[in-house]
């Protein structure tokens, strides 16, 4: 006897009007009533949406049952080609161990907590220079353009050895790469443009190495040039887009929660670490985790997921699950359970640069609040344009004054 399923839905993207920090309201309903929900993927195929913390966590950590391999998956979020395709050399996302393990080890040692800690002075200098520029320009300014985006861009350019003058090109292409609903042609053009840019740079660094990560990758005899290029491309895109949106959106959220802003201002040194974890949980800017394909028949909350079915973990729904976080829809920078969030994913595909992102947030947010103690929005909150059509959620611009 076949299982009777509810009607398949499309994957929720639109936020409720006036609630820029909350996930789409449909996700709360699904988490309560249909935590393993049948959905229709953008390419028309069938899949499953997971919204509960325990189910998302279990799926992300179990690569032996839920595979990331590109040829098994479809496109759930429209930022990848909407077709089944194998992973290219060096692309970690659509890859399982042991191939994934071999390549990830080439990056892990470069982003350890100790190594990132040694970058603190360099990050602080970049932050101070951007604050000086904000003061020079004077209010009002767009915080995204003048502060949030330049900081991680400068940091990742410094680490990879990318000329900062080229940042505008890769920022534009990475925005296209992360846009939900991009056409196959738009995605392919953006992806190829960034790959060509990094490939040319990696070839130069293989012949003329300097003291940076891309040179180390290009010089590694265990990596092909194609693998080194793809690893560099992945770091370049992820290394500025996500952190830039977290800096801007965190600032917006704090300005809209004056009680939490006051607590952080009161004792930034003691509270910033936990505040960053809570902001990561509360905002969860990667709206959905990378989709997985079941390698075998498996039952999740009574639903039969068949071998080959695609599952999509809703990270921001999981991070608002009341079964895991008390009063989850409240921003509470004192929340001690916030470190259990899944904003960086989990398992073998957990974000390799998460310690760098944390370091940038821990430095950039308090420094901004200290330099401008009267910082405020320079536009009505409901007029701030949100990036709902991007895999990485955020604001397109954030006008501020002081």
């Amino acid at each position: 006897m076949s299982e009777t399923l509810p009607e398949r839905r499309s994957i929720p993207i639109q936020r409720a009007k006036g609630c820029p920090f909350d996930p789409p309201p449909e996700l709360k309903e699904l988490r309560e009533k249909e935590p393993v929900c049948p959905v229709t993927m953008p390419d028309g195929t069938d899949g499953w949406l997971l919204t509960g913390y325990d189910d998302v966590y279990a799926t992300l950590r179990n690569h032996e049952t839920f595979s990331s391999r590109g040829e098994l998956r479809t496109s759930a979020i429209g930022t990848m080609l909407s077709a089944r395709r194998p992973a290219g050399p060096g692309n970690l996302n659509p890859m399982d161990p042991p191939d994934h393990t071999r390549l990830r080890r080439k990056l892990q040692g470069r982003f350890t907590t100790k190594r990132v800690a040694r970058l603190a002075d360099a990050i602080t200098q970049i932050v101070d220079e951007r604050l000086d520029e904000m003061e020079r320009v004077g209010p009002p300014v767009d915080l995204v353009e003048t502060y949030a985006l330049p900081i991680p861009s400068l940091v990742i350019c410094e680490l990879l050895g990318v000329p900062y003058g080229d940042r505008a090109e890769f920022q534009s292409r990475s925005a296209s790469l992360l846009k939900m609903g991009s056409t196959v042609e738009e995605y392919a053009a953006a992806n190829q443009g960034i790959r060509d840019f990094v490939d040319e740079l990696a070839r130069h660094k293989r012949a003329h190495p300097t003291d940076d990560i891309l040179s180390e990758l290009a010089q590694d005899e265990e990596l092909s040039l194609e693998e080194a290029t793809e690893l560099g491309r992945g770091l370049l895109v992820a290394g500025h887009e996500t952190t830039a949106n977290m800096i801007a959106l965190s600032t917006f959220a704090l300005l809209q929660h004056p009680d939490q802003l006051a607590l952080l201002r009161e004792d930034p040194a003691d509270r910033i670490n936990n505040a960053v974890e809570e902001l990561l949980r509360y905002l969860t800017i990667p709206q959905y985790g990378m989709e997985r394909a079941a390698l075998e028949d498996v039952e999740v909350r009574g639903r039969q997921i068949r071998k080959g079915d695609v599952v999509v973990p809703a990270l921001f729904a999981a991070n608002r699950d009341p079964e895991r976080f008390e009063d989850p829809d409240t921003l509470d920078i004192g929340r001690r359970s916030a470190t259990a969030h899944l904003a960086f994913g989990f398992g073998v595909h957990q974000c390799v640069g998460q310690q760098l992102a944390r370091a940038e947030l821990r430095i950039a947010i308090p420094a901004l609040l200290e330099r401008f103690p009267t910082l405020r929005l320079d536009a009505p909150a409901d007029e701030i344009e949100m990036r709902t059509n991007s895999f990485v959620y955020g604001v397109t611009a954030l006008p501020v004054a002081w």
Side-chain angles (χ1 to χ4, degrees):
M1 182 174 177
S2 61
E3 181 183 14
T4 301
L5 295 179
E7 182 180 354
R8 292 190 177 274
R9 301 177 178 232
S10 58
I11 295 175
I13 294 176
Q14 292 302 316
R15 311 271 175 138
K17 186 175 178 60
C19 299
F21 312 119
D22 292 341
E26 298 98 315
L27 290 177
K28 183 176 183 179
E29 178 187 352
L30 289 177
R31 192 179 56 229
E32 294 173 352
K33 299 179 180 179
E34 198 68 37
V36 183
C37 177
V39 292
T40 300
M41 312 295 270
D43 67 352
T45 58
D46 295 337
W48 298 90
L49 180 66
L50 308 181
T51 50
Y53 181 96
D54 289 345
D55 298 329
V56 169
Y57 175 84
T59 300
L60 294 178
R61 73 189 298 266
N62 187 0
H63 67 270
E64 294 179 348
T65 301
F66 296 100
S67 172
S68 298
R69 297 209 312 272
E71 69 270 21
L72 300 178
R73 299 186 288 107
T74 63
S75 175
I77 50 179
T79 59
M80 292 174 294
L81 290 176
S82 188
R84 299 177 186 267
R85 55 180 304 190
N91 187 348
L92 292 173
N93 285 331
M95 189 179 289
D96 288 338
D99 292 335
H100 176 273
T101 306
R102 176 182 69 86
L103 292 174
R104 186 178 172 93
R105 283 173 179 166
K106 299 297 181 181
L107 301 178
Q108 280 181 311
R110 295 171 170 87
F111 292 97
T112 62
T113 302
K114 287 184 177 180
R115 188 161 184 174
V116 169
R118 292 197 293 268
L119 295 171
D121 288 344
I123 297 172
T124 299
Q125 181 179 345
I126 289 171
V127 166
D128 288 342
E129 289 172 352
R130 297 314 306 169
L131 290 170
D132 291 343
E133 178 65 10
M134 284 180 64
E135 276 195 316
R136 187 191 68 79
V137 173
V141 300
D142 174 12
L143 192 77
V144 174
E145 182 180 356
T146 61
Y147 191 70
L149 188 54
I151 290 169
S153 295
L154 280 164
V155 171
I156 200 64
C157 284
E158 180 73 19
L159 288 174
L160 286 176
V162 175
Y164 187 62
D166 293 329
R167 71 191 186 283
E169 177 182 349
F170 74 72
Q171 284 172 359
S172 173
R173 293 187 183 278
S174 67
S176 296
L177 202 65
L178 295 169
K179 180 181 178 182
M180 289 187 181
S182 292
T183 66
V184 171
E185 293 76 16
E186 289 171 338
Y187 175 89
N191 198 39
Q192 191 60 49
I194 294 177
R195 182 176 287 112
D196 291 345
F197 171 78
V198 180
D199 177 68
E200 182 178 353
L201 191 59
R203 291 178 185 276
H204 176 77
K205 289 181 178 294
R206 174 165 280 192
H208 308 283
T210 50
D211 185 18
D212 56 70
I213 290 177
L214 190 56
S215 290
E216 293 174 5
L217 294 173
Q219 292 287 306
D220 193 321
E221 295 181 354
E222 295 181 358
L223 294 174
S224 68
L225 185 62
E226 291 78 10
E227 289 174 329
T229 294
E230 185 59 31
L231 289 172
R233 185 199 67 85
L235 291 175
L236 189 60
V237 172
H240 82 276
E241 189 77 20
T242 51
T243 308
N245 280 285
M246 265 305 298
I247 293 172
L249 194 58
S250 294
T251 303
F252 185 19
L254 288 169
L255 291 175
Q256 291 300 103
H257 293 81
D259 58 330
Q260 300 302 298
L261 178 60
L263 285 174
L264 184 55
R265 286 188 184 279
E266 183 180 288
D267 192 356
D270 184 58
R271 290 178 173 146
I272 186 57
N273 287 359
N274 207 76
V276 164
E277 299 306 315
E278 172 67 351
L279 286 163
L280 287 164
R281 180 204 70 83
Y282 181 72
L283 299 173
T284 312
I285 61 172
Q287 302 194 69
Y288 292 96
M290 194 67 68
E291 67 269 20
R292 306 290 198 268
L295 295 176
E296 58 190 47
D297 291 351
V298 59
E299 182 176 304
V300 181
R301 291 189 184 269
R303 293 297 187 197
Q304 294 297 319
I305 297 178
R306 304 298 183 187
K307 179 179 179 180
D309 284 357
V310 171
V311 296
V312 182
L315 298 180
F316 49 2
N319 280 342
R320 296 291 190 95
D321 190 341
E323 294 295 320
R324 184 63 184 84
F325 303 100
E326 185 178 355
D327 195 13
D329 294 327
T330 296
L331 177 64
D332 176 8
I333 66 169
R335 186 190 303 273
R336 293 305 173 187
S337 63
T339 54
H341 68 76
L342 302 174
F344 289 117
F346 196 77
V348 297
H349 286 281
Q350 191 170 30
C351 175
V352 72
Q354 61 181 290
Q355 298 306 334
L356 178 61
R358 285 187 169 100
E360 292 174 316
L361 292 167
R362 289 167 181 169
I363 293 171
I365 294 173
L368 175 67
L369 300 179
E370 181 181 3
R371 180 72 69 95
F372 303 113
T374 59
L375 189 74
R376 65 184 188 279
L377 289 180
D378 194 52
D382 59 2
E383 293 182 7
I384 302 298
E385 184 179 352
M386 309 305 298
R387 290 163 47 105
T388 55
N389 67 337
S390 174
F391 171 63
V392 178
Y393 188 62
V395 294
T396 58
L398 190 68
V400 295
W402 53 91

